[in-house]
Amino acid sequence: MTRREQVKINRALTLARRAARRAALVLPERVYNQTEAAEFLGVSTPTLRRWTNEGKIKARKAGRKIFYTESNLKTFLKGKE
């Protein structure tokens, strides 16, 4: 293998690694609205709202809307078992 071919291969590998790192950073976590989160947990929306107000489940608010991250819902389920 010539030096030029080695350089080409190394360059391609470096670009592939960079793309993989960028892809890992770009993928956002799944976010659920109240209805979707209640379905995910198998409870009613008022129950979910009550648990949120009691501080049992972490939620994020954007204006008047409330959102739940998948990791927060899974953490809640683990703690409930």
Side-chain angles (χ1 to χ4, degrees):
M1 184 180 304
T2 66
R3 176 76 177 138
R4 181 174 283 185
E5 290 171 335
Q6 288 176 343
V7 169
K8 275 186 171 181
I9 291 171
N10 285 339
R11 176 87 174 127
L13 287 173
T14 302
L15 292 174
R17 285 188 197 110
R18 284 182 190 162
R21 271 188 252 133
R22 270 190 243 116
L25 295 175
V26 170
L27 295 176
E29 185 176 9
R30 172 81 163 95
V31 177
Y32 296 88
N33 63 26
Q34 275 190 337
T35 306
E36 294 169 336
E39 257 180 55
F40 182 87
L41 296 173
V43 297
S44 66
T45 306
T47 300
L48 179 64
R49 246 184 268 128
R50 187 178 74 243
W51 288 346
T52 303
N53 293 337
E54 292 172 356
K56 294 180 179 179
I57 300 177
K58 292 182 183 177
R60 295 181 184 173
K61 206 168 184 184
R64 298 181 76 186
K65 297 186 180 192
I66 299 173
F67 297 97
Y68 302 85
T69 59
E70 188 168 13
S71 62
N72 286 344
L73 295 175
K74 287 181 178 179
T75 301
F76 174 76
L77 286 175
K78 285 180 186 174
K80 197 174 177 192
E81 292 175 355

